[in-house]
């Protein structure tokens, strides 16, 4: 049977990817952050699973006002980095894991989750930046991926609790997958940030740290926050944090936090990363 | 219909109201994901905009790069990024332009390096009005 070894949460700020792509990580602005990420990268090197299920959101790249499902899962053999307006990031293609993806679709459907199925979606910074954060700049990514896209842009959004329950359904699906493979799950986006309007630049370390604490101490507390709570307290785009609930829901009751980094600013965002090992 | 989050100050979420108001301007912005559309827009901004069913004030806000006005006219910030990228500008230029008070690139960077805009005093329109 497949084994879900751990979850990671990380912000997916495009500037972080650009800093790596353009060789700026030694500059004063970035140095501290990348030094702080060293242990995270060490952990990933020592704990590379066969597949990572990566929960992200698409930022008007592949999905838009024309069509945006609440939850979409990628079943392609491979996925390309997307052109988001400045040309695609020059990072390797991502290999999919259609077998696991389809198993999740079937298992989740029996659990009342009807996931939209997509075979050809290009993946934007929401997906590729976390890969770069974890694995740096390899010629090929060390794991296959299953993309799970959550609509966190176009209201109405799924509730924080619904995201957690989707995670539980994914966790159950992984546990019943017949092959002996190891699997990781990542929640991406956040933490507090607001990118638009006169209030742009608002961040909230107190709310972010409580959210991070809750992931191991009281994960259900993070499911009781409304979208307005997130938007008011953690900025309009801080609502992305609900994607971390998918990651947390997939893990078991007992997790051990083995890494945390919190850093302001990355662009207009409070950067957060965490690794939770499944016990 | 009013929403619970309407009294968050200086904030423009994409919901059914902005969806309808901003549909065409956002679809224009989205089109800039494609290199051939960027080329067309670069050749003649006005002519390219005229191929979309946008309102005149939306077109002018695009041409004049008035980002806050764009949000007020229904654009969403994730879509607006495409225009910033088209101009090869860092996002902080747009952030600074939308901020109240308006900030330059450097001033916006400084605010963030100083810990960002504090949440206290910025939670609601009432907090803003009470200074
Ligand atoms: Fe995002």
């Amino acid at each position: 049977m497949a084994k879900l070894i751990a979850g990671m949460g990380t912000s997916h700020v495009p500037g972080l990817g650009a800093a790596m792509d353009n060789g700026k990580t030694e500059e004063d602005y970035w140095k501290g952050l990348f030094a702080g990420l060293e242990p995270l990268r060490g952990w990933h090197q020592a704990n590379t699973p066969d597949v990572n299920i990566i929960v992200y959101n698409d930022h008007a790249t592949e999905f838009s006002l024309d069509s945006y499902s609440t939850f979409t899962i990628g079943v392609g053999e491979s996925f390309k980095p997307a052109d988001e307006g400045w040309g695609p990031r020059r990072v390797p293609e991502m290999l999919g894991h259609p077998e696991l993806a389809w198993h999740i679709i079937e298992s989740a459907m029996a659990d009342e989750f009807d996931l939209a199925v997509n075979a050809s979606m290009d993946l934007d910074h929401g997906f590729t930046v976390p890969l770069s954060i974890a694995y740096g700049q390899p010629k090929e990514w060390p794991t296959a991926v299953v993309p799970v896209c959550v609509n966190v842009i176009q209201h109405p959004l799924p509730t924080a609790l619904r995201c957690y329950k989707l995670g539980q359904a994914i966790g159950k699906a992984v546990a019943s997958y017949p092959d002996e493979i190891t699997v990781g799950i990542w929640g991406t986006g956040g933490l507090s940030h607001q990118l638009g309007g006169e209030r742009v630049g608002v961040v909230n370390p107190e709310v972010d740290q409580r959210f991070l604490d809750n992931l191991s101490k009281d994960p259900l507390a993070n499911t009781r926050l409304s979208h307005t709570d997130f938007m008011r307290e953690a900025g309009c785009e801080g609502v992305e944090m609900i994607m971390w609930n998918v990651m947390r829901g997939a893990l078991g009751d007992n997790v051990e936090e083995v890494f945390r980094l919190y850093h302001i600013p990355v662009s207009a965002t409070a950067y957060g990363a965490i690794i939770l090992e499944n016990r | 219909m009013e929403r619970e989050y309407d009294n968050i100050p200086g904030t423009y979420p994409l919901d059914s109201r902005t969806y309808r108001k901003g549909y065409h301007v956002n679809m224009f912005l989205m089109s800039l994901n494609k290199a051939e559309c960027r080329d067309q827009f670069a050749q003649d901004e006005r002519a390219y905009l005229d191929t979309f069913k946008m309102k005149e004030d939306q077109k002018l806000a695009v041409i004049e790069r008035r980002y806050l006005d764009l949000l007020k006219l229904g654009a969403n910030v994730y879509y607006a990024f495409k225009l910033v990228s088209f101009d090869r500008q860092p996002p902080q230029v747009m952030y600074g332009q939308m901020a109240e008070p308006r900030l330059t690139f450097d001033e916006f960077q400084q605010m963030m390096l100083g810990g960002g805009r504090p949440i206290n005093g910025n939670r609601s329109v009432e907090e803003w009005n009470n200074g």
Side-chain angles (χ1 to χ4, degrees):
Chain A
M1 291 290 165
K3 191 166 180 242
L4 190 60
I5 58 167
M8 171 174 77
T10 176
S11 311
H12 58 214
V13 192
L16 248 162
M20 284 183 263
D21 298 347
N22 301 318
K24 292 185 172 173
T25 56
E26 289 303 313
E27 290 182 6
D28 279 349
Y29 186 91
W30 296 105
K31 228 168 31 191
L33 177 77
F34 281 96
L37 284 170
E38 277 308 314
L40 174 138
R41 288 181 162 176
W43 183 92
H44 278 290
Q45 244 175 16
N47 299 277
T48 312
D50 297 305
V51 193
N52 280 310
I53 300 165
I54 304 182
V55 184
Y56 77 109
N57 71 288
D58 179 278
H59 306 78
T61 303
E62 187 71 36
F63 306 123
S64 71
L65 304 188
D66 255 356
S67 175
Y68 208 136
S69 301
T70 303
F71 301 118
T72 304
I73 186 163
V75 297
E77 298 282 345
S78 65
F79 301 94
K80 289 199 291 289
D83 188 345
E84 305 177 50
W86 60 86
R89 285 189 69 205
R90 286 189 295 276
V91 294
E93 276 199 7
M94 289 134 288
L95 288 186
H97 199 298
E99 221 177 287
L100 178 61
W102 278 107
H103 176 75
I104 293 170
I105 292 164
E106 290 172 11
S107 174
M109 189 66 97
D111 264 339
E112 319 293 345
F113 274 97
D114 35 343
L115 303 172
V117 175
N118 192 299
S120 64
M121 58 205 202
D122 291 348
L123 300 172
D124 76 12
H125 71 267
F127 194 95
T128 63
V129 168
L131 277 170
S132 303
I133 288 168
Y135 298 124
Q137 296 171 297
K139 284 228 161 51
E140 282 172 13
W141 299 116
T143 77
V145 298
V146 173
V148 176
C149 180
V150 180
N151 170 26
V152 293
I153 290 182
Q154 186 175 307
H155 293 251
L157 314 180
T159 63
L161 178 61
R162 178 97 178 134
C163 289
Y164 188 85
K165 287 180 173 171
L166 171 64
Q168 289 179 312
I170 292 174
K172 203 167 142 189
V174 171
S176 67
Y177 186 69
D179 291 356
E180 298 277 331
I181 56 169
T182 51
V183 180
I185 183 158
W186 301 357
T188 73
L191 295 173
S192 59
H193 66 302
Q194 175 150 336
L195 305 180
E198 294 92 328
R199 199 177 71 138
V200 59
V202 81
V203 289
N204 190 337
E206 206 184 307
V207 157
D208 289 340
Q209 294 284 9
R210 194 184 316 139
F211 186 86
L212 294 172
D213 289 343
N214 285 341
L215 290 171
S216 52
K217 295 200 181 94
D218 186 9
L220 288 178
N222 289 344
T223 70
R224 290 190 285 266
L225 298 164
S226 71
H227 299 133
T228 301
D229 292 336
F230 278 108
M231 291 196 290
R232 190 187 305 285
E233 297 293 330
C236 190
E237 282 67 45
V239 75
E240 286 189 337
M241 284 151 81
I242 61 175
M243 291 185 288
W244 292 43
N245 281 354
V246 182
M247 174 272 286
R248 182 59 190 89
L251 302 174
D253 289 342
N254 296 317
V255 297
E256 189 182 334
E257 180 181 324
V258 296
F259 175 84
R260 181 191 296 203
L261 178 67
Y262 188 72
H263 178 98
I264 296 174
V266 173
S267 188
T269 303
Y271 178 85
I274 202 163
I275 296 174
L276 305 167
E277 290 185 354
N278 227 353
R279 296 293 179 206
Chain B
M1 198 178 85
E2 282 192 14
R3 302 291 197 282
E4 195 190 15
Y5 48 76
D6 283 346
N7 80 333
I8 304 176
T11 299
Y12 303 83
L14 172 55
D15 62 16
S16 59
R17 298 166 297 178
T18 31
Y19 179 100
R20 297 179 66 190
K21 188 161 73 171
Y23 183 84
H24 294 290
V25 64
N26 282 318
M27 291 314 278
F28 148 70
L29 291 163
M30 170 95 181
S31 77
L32 299 178
N33 284 338
K34 294 203 172 74
E36 59 270 29
C37 297
R38 295 198 285 272
D39 289 344
Q40 278 182 51
F41 183 57
Q43 251 169 38
D44 185 339
E45 294 198 359
R46 179 77 215 193
Y48 183 66
L49 286 168
D50 285 340
T51 66
F52 290 84
K53 278 193 243 162
M54 291 162 59
K55 298 253 167 57
E56 182 62 19
D57 54 357
Q58 294 173 327
K59 292 180 188 175
L60 288 176
V62 169
I63 291 168
E64 292 162 16
R65 307 296 196 263
R66 286 183 275 110
Y67 286 102
L68 187 57
D69 288 338
L70 270 175
L71 296 202
K72 289 179 177 170
L73 295 168
N76 173 258
V77 70
Y78 286 118
Y79 293 74
F81 275 124
K82 319 288 178 189
L83 189 56
V84 186
S85 299
F86 173 84
D87 288 338
R88 298 279 159 192
Q89 294 283 332
Q92 287 88 345
V93 169
M94 173 177 78
Y95 301 152
Q97 199 199 93
M98 292 186 302
E100 177 58 41
R102 214 180 152 116
L103 303 170
T104 63
F105 172 90
D106 286 330
E107 287 166 343
F108 187 83
Q109 286 287 68
Q110 278 315 314
M111 178 178 82
M112 292 314 301
L113 286 165
R117 189 185 298 278
I119 191 68
N120 287 332
N122 287 310
R123 287 189 175 87
S124 65
V125 173
E126 293 74 34
E127 277 191 359
W128 267 19
N129 292 341
N130 299 334

